[in-house]
Amino acid sequence: MSKDHELYIKNLKRDKFKVAFFRIFILVFFLCLWEVAADFKWIDPFLTSSPSRIFDSLLTFIADGTIWRHIAVTCYETILGFLLGTVIGTIIAIILWWCPFTSKVLDPYLVVLNALPKVALAPIIIFWVGNGTMAIIVIALLISLVTTIISVLTGFTEVDSEKLLLMKTFQASKFQILRYLIFPYTIPVLISALKINVGLSWVGVIMGEFLVAREGLGFLIVYGGQISQLNMVMMSIVILSIIAFIMYKIVAIVEDKYIKK
């Protein structure tokens, strides 16, 4: 390894360390400032809570063992909605790419469905599938489904036209074009869709739990607000943030494996 290469690697590691350090520093500084502001009554701790109060609330839930059930329920609903939205949306995008006429016919409907606030459909979904977990999963699915279809289909249609023409010249079948050109070319688009769906799935699940759930982190947020226990609300939001970050990092690891190598 040359000295220039060693210097480059060293600088790269140093930059990564600096980024990690400042990320942690900002988080710690914010938590300390929040705690001090609450202790000295610069802010109203009843309205904003504080890190120590949130931690005490978490310990209370851990002691009675209920927090794990709420986390498990929300994670199950989110992961299932995330996977169904991604898989079904990708399959529909493949069908629309395979049948250009159908894609052109359905294009305005997809645009309208994408613009439609999905929360407006929630009461209808509850009547259709019942007041329970299935309704929450369906809401999460619908929120991510149309976005997945549009983003993946757009990626399919933006494949290099010269490469597409070359494969057609060699009389490649549509399945061969899909397998050997479309999919490899649009892996970044699929990863991007996964990143988007992580956030959308959480939005759908929490929105569903606000409406119908009797357990889950979304239920804790609503219940805590109803009984004026904002420590419980803030605790649930912090847990949601941590789990959503973990899911996002898993997708980022997949991205590093399949794109950046």
Side-chain angles (χ1 to χ4, degrees), residues 64-125:
D64 62 25
T66 58
I67 190 63
W68 308 116
R69 174 63 180 172
H70 291 295
I71 292 175
V73 167
T74 300
C75 287
Y76 166 75
E77 294 165 345
T78 303
I79 293 173
L80 191 56
F82 169 75
L83 293 176
L84 287 175
T86 302
V87 172
I88 296 176
T90 302
I91 292 174
I92 294 176
I94 292 172
I95 294 173
L96 295 178
W97 172 84
W98 198 285
C99 308
F101 177 77
T102 304
S103 177
K104 292 178 182 178
V105 171
L106 297 181
D107 181 69
Y109 298 100
L110 289 175
V111 172
V112 171
L113 288 175
N114 188 49
L116 179 68
K118 308 303 183 297
V119 68
L121 300 176
I124 300 175
I125 294 170

Side-chain angles (χ1 to χ4, degrees), residues 4 20 36 43 46 80 91 132 139-140 149 157 168 174 196 233 237 261:
D4 290 338
V36 170
I43 57 177
F46 175 77
L80 191 56
I91 292 174
I139 293 171
I149 295 171
T157 56
K168 289 181 178 179
K174 271 205 165 185
I196 295 171
V233 174
I237 293 173
K261 281 190 175 181

Side-chain angles (χ1 to χ4, degrees), residues 62-246:
I62 291 176
D64 62 25
T66 58
I67 190 63
W68 308 116
R69 174 63 180 172
H70 291 295
I71 292 175
V73 167
T74 300
C75 287
Y76 166 75
E77 294 165 345
T78 303
I79 293 173
L80 191 56
F82 169 75
L83 293 176
L84 287 175
T86 302
V87 172
I88 296 176
T90 302
I91 292 174
I92 294 176
I94 292 172
I95 294 173
L96 295 178
W97 172 84
W98 198 285
C99 308
F101 177 77
T102 304
S103 177
K104 292 178 182 178
V105 171
L106 297 181
D107 181 69
Y109 298 100
L110 289 175
V111 172
V112 171
L113 288 175
N114 188 49
L116 179 68
K118 308 303 183 297
V119 68
L121 300 176
I124 300 175
I125 294 170
I126 293 170
F127 277 108
W128 285 350
V129 301
N131 187 357
T133 301
M134 184 58 65
I136 298 172
I137 294 173
V138 172
I139 293 171
L141 166 64
L142 290 180
I143 284 182
S144 61
L145 182 64
V146 180
T147 301
T148 302
I149 295 171
I150 292 176
S151 59
V152 174
L153 182 60
T154 301
F156 285 174
T157 56
E158 291 180 351
V159 171
D160 192 334
S161 58
E162 293 183 358
K163 293 180 180 179
L164 189 60
L165 180 61
L166 179 62
M167 292 200 71
K168 289 181 178 179
T169 302
F170 284 100
Q171 297 182 341
S173 65
K174 271 205 165 185
F175 178 77
Q176 290 173 324
I177 293 174
L178 181 67
R179 179 180 178 183
Y180 296 110
L181 177 61
I182 301 297
F183 268 137
Y185 189 89
T186 55
I187 284 180
V189 175
L190 296 174
I191 298 296
S192 177
L194 288 176
K195 287 183 175 181
I196 295 171
N197 284 352
V198 168
L200 291 179
S201 298
W202 280 106
V203 170
V205 166
I206 298 305
M207 184 178 69
E209 289 184 347
F210 282 175
L211 296 174
V212 301
R214 293 180 177 85
E215 54 188 355
L217 295 174
F219 166 77
L220 287 182
I221 293 174
V222 173
Y223 179 68
Q226 291 174 342
I227 62 175
S228 300
Q229 288 289 337
L230 297 188
N231 296 330
M232 183 192 304
V233 174
M234 296 299 294
M235 177 201 70
S236 303
I237 293 173
V238 170
I239 294 174
L240 281 173
S241 301
I242 293 172
I243 299 175
F245 175 76
I246 292 172

Side-chain angles (χ1 to χ4, degrees), residues 34-35 38 43-55 230-232 234-235:
W34 185 6
E35 183 68 32
I43 57 177
D44 188 346
F46 175 77
L47 298 177
T48 62
S49 189
S50 67
S52 60
R53 293 186 177 205
I54 293 172
F55 185 70
L230 297 188
N231 296 330
M232 183 192 304
M234 296 299 294
M235 177 201 70

